[in-house]
Amino acid sequence: FAYQNRFSDSTEDAYRGRYYGEEKTTLDILPKFLRYDDLSDWLFTFQVQGNDAYLYSLSKYRQNNSDLWLLTALSKADKNSAEVSALLEAAANFDRFSAAYPTIAFHRARILLELGKQTEVRKMLDEILISSLEMPISTRNQFVEMRMGLAESLDEFLKYSLKKPFTLSEGGYSISIDEEIAQRKSYYDPEYDKISRAEYDRQVENELQKIREIADDPMLDYETADIINQNFPVPLLLEIQKSKHFPEYLQKRLAKAIWTRAVLLEDFTTADKILPEFINDSDEFRELFENYKNAKTKSEKRYAALFAILKNDELSPYLSSGLGYPNSNYSGGSKWWCSLSDEEYDETLQKTIPRRSNKPDFLGEAQRNLAQTELKKLNEIGNAPNYLSDKVLEWAKRSPKDERIPESLYIVYSANGWDKYGCGGDFEKRTVVGNLLKRKYPSNKWTLMIIDSKNENQ
């Protein structure tokens, strides 16, 4: 606490013992008298990075042959570290029943990968993952992720693409689905919510029931979904959608992403092919998809698909991770989709860096090129609110008497408003859409909804 006060402005009790200042953490900072206690010495050293911390950990391991210091030295080592071969040999012969084994095995695999020994690591990881070794869920997930990175085929990639969730998270805190439902129900406000308490509770139950159904299933994490979205072209996505490694909910989610991506790329042959995979499970929107399926011309298909997307804001050309849709409101995510950013935040470096996406080695050149061609077209399409507005305005100009136009204009008008967690709307386009509604459809119920909402805000 005294150290924190010396270097940090934070005095919140919740952060005692955790340092947020600018001072670089080195071994020299720890007073020598604290090193007389082995636990204090280890707790501090384990958090320090760099070669000095490695050499100190190595010396402690040499002194007492401690499992804990072997673990610590390995965690700080790389392929060029002094005496790393001796550490790797000790790790190879380490007791599998020790609580330290998973950490030691993980860092042994990491260093062997740096040394280019992929075959040895594949064998090692396969033995760990099929064993009865007890590990925390998050630990096993890290081994699975490492194994996925060594996949030599699509089937192998998919086999190791899913991870088991260890908790639901709400605001950074672990929460059960029952606790989340109870919390959501407590938000009921009769002055704001224009429905009865019983109806409100039913809506919460129905919305979160979909989460309950998949909460214990294996899931894609963000990084793996990103690999699929950026590197797998539509023909390969069709193959993935049928994978035995994907649970049913994920097969259907991917089918919707393929359909949306195919529609945006105007590949209606693929869109027609994938539609049966999810149409029967879309009770609320079945009629919309049936209208698309029954459309006779390319133009009819284009606008039937557009209207289906407008009415169903969980549709996206990108496969979502975790709980994913239809939980966008639950997770604070954006409607439809945002264009892929050129940058990402690196937690380790604590700064924004150019966007990365690991490219699986088993992909052929033709597959890579097709994926990049598709991705370029999707990037040109950009954010959903902006793109959908352009398409609706184009449609309104071409078919002003189509009865779906006023509602479509209202949807994109709303979509281009302020959105705290979304990818941003276009207020100029929102004005254009609103003016068109008032001019062309002055008495339509959707136009009146805009006018009424403005009056309420005023």
Side-chain angles (χ1 to χ4, degrees):
F1 190 32
Y3 177 75
Q4 178 199 5
N5 282 344
R6 180 181 175 189
F7 294 108
S8 173
D9 293 333
S10 175
T11 56
E12 294 289 335
D13 288 349
Y15 295 112
R16 287 183 180 180
R18 189 170 182 182
Y19 175 58
Y20 284 92
E22 299 294 331
E23 187 81 4
K24 181 177 174 59
T25 308
T26 66
L27 291 175
D28 297 333
I29 288 177
L30 190 68
K32 287 186 178 180
F33 75 88
L34 286 179
R35 291 200 180 279
Y36 296 146
D37 179 80
D38 288 339
L39 182 57
S40 296
D41 188 15
W42 175 77
L43 281 170
F44 185 79
T45 304
F46 192 79
Q47 300 175 73
V48 181
Q49 303 301 315
N51 193 53
D52 288 345
Y54 167 71
L55 293 174
Y56 182 78
S57 303
L58 179 64
S59 68
K60 294 289 288 187
Y61 171 62
R62 284 205 214 102
Q63 290 171 25
N64 54 30
N65 201 35
S66 160
D67 292 351
L68 193 60
W69 286 105
L70 170 62
L71 176 155
T72 306
L74 273 170
S75 73
K76 300 178 185 305
D78 60 38
K79 66 178 183 179
N80 298 315
S81 297
E83 300 184 40
V84 71
S85 58
L87 293 180
L88 290 173
E89 183 178 353
N93 297 311
F94 195 77
D95 180 9
R96 289 193 170 218
F97 295 99
S98 167
Y101 176 74
T103 306
I104 286 176
F106 180 86
H107 287 290
R108 177 186 171 224
R110 175 182 60 79
I111 297 168
L112 288 174
L113 281 179
E114 291 180 11
L115 292 168
K117 299 184 178 182
Q118 283 87 349
T119 301
E120 185 175 346
V121 175
R122 281 192 195 94
K123 180 180 177 182
M124 172 187 168
L125 294 176
D126 287 344
E127 290 174 354
I128 291 173
L129 291 172
I130 65 173
S131 74
S132 58
L133 182 68
E134 292 187 8
M135 294 181 283
I137 293 172
S138 56
T139 301
R140 183 177 182 83
N141 284 343
Q142 287 190 284
F143 282 118
V144 169
E145 180 176 346
M146 185 179 285
R147 184 62 182 84
M148 184 190 72
L150 294 169
E152 296 181 288
S153 66
L154 177 62
D155 185 69
E156 200 172 65
F157 174 88
L158 296 174
K159 179 180 179 180
Y160 298 106
S161 64
L162 302 180
K163 299 181 177 68
K164 184 173 177 58
F166 57 87
T167 188
L168 287 172
S169 175
E170 173 67 27
Y173 294 93
S174 178
I175 189 171
S176 72
I177 185 61
D178 291 330
E179 289 171 333
E180 172 65 15
I181 290 174
Q183 183 172 295
R184 289 282 295 276
K185 287 181 178 179
S186 72
Y187 296 156
Y188 177 74
D189 183 344
E191 293 186 10
Y192 176 78
D193 299 295
K194 307 302 183 184
I195 55 177
S196 69
R197 179 61 186 260
E199 179 61 23
Y200 181 90
D201 287 354
R202 277 195 297 272
Q203 286 185 5
V204 171
E205 289 278 358
N206 291 338
E207 181 181 345
L208 298 186
Q209 177 59 29
K210 294 178 181 179
I211 296 176
R212 189 194 294 276
E213 290 171 359
I214 67 171
D216 293 326
D217 286 352
M219 297 182 181
L220 290 171
D221 65 11
Y222 172 81
E223 290 75 16
T224 305
D226 193 53
I227 291 173
I228 293 173
N229 286 326
Q230 290 208 62
N231 297 288
F232 292 174
V234 167
L236 206 53
L237 292 178
L238 287 169
E239 188 176 340
I240 292 172
Q241 194 271 331
K242 295 288 190 181
S243 171
K244 63 183 180 182
H245 302 298
F246 273 15
E248 184 180 5
Y249 86 88
L250 199 49
Q251 291 179 340
K252 291 176 181 176
R253 185 190 297 177
L254 180 54
K256 289 183 179 181
I258 294 171
W259 183 85
T260 311
R261 180 174 289 211
V263 164
L264 295 179
L265 298 174
E266 300 216 331
D267 177 5
F268 294 112
T269 300
T270 296
D272 293 348
K273 182 178 180 180
I274 198 66
L275 186 61
E277 297 296 324
F278 66 87
I279 189 173
N280 292 329
D281 297 289
S282 301
D283 292 337
E284 184 180 357
F285 304 106
R286 183 179 292 119
E287 183 179 349
L288 294 170
F289 292 120
E290 289 285 356
N291 289 340
Y292 164 82
K293 185 174 72 171
N294 296 329
K296 302 302 182 184
T297 67
K298 188 174 182 180
S299 177
E300 289 176 356
K301 277 189 176 294
R302 183 183 294 116
Y303 295 126
L306 175 60
F307 193 59
I309 293 172
L310 290 168
K311 294 278 287 182
N312 189 353
D313 61 22
E314 69 183 55
L315 291 174
S316 167
Y318 304 114
L319 180 61
S320 56
S321 60
L323 293 172
Y325 291 109
N327 310 300
S328 57
N329 295 329
Y330 168 78
S331 61
S334 179
K335 294 179 178 180
W336 297 299
W337 68 89
C338 295
S339 59
L340 298 180
S341 173
D342 294 330
E343 297 179 330
E344 63 183 3
Y345 188 78
D346 189 294
E347 293 287 350
T348 303
L349 299 176
Q350 295 286 296
K351 66 178 184 180
T352 300
I353 61 172
R355 183 180 180 85
R356 301 165 298 189
S357 178
N358 296 322
K359 293 179 170 56
D361 292 336
F362 58 80
L363 290 176
E365 185 177 357
Q367 292 172 321
R368 292 174 187 268
N369 291 339
L370 181 56
Q372 291 309 303
T373 299
E374 291 179 0
L375 200 62
K376 182 180 178 181
K377 292 179 180 178
L378 292 174
N379 285 335
E380 290 171 354
I381 285 171
N383 299 331
N386 198 304
Y387 168 81
L388 295 174
S389 297
D390 288 340
K391 292 301 175 184
V392 170
L393 288 170
E394 172 192 299
W395 185 20
K397 185 177 180 179
R398 178 170 179 169
S399 308
K401 294 183 179 181
D402 191 310
E403 61 182 14
R404 296 169 292 180
I405 293 296
E407 184 179 1
S408 299
L409 288 168
Y410 175 80
I411 291 172
V412 294
Y413 173 87
S414 301
N416 279 286
W418 183 80
D419 185 357
K420 182 177 181 180
Y421 297 108
C423 41
D426 187 323
F427 287 97
E428 290 185 8
K429 198 157 291 181
R430 175 182 168 93
T431 301
V432 171
V433 169
N435 289 339
L436 179 60
L437 259 175
K438 295 172 190 174
R439 188 174 69 253
K440 292 286 189 180
Y441 314 95
S443 302
N444 191 277
K445 67 176 183 178
W446 299 103
T447 308
L448 296 177
M449 287 175 65
I450 291 178
I451 296 172
D452 289 343
S453 64
K454 282 191 172 183
N455 290 337
E456 286 180 10
N457 292 333
Q458 290 173 354

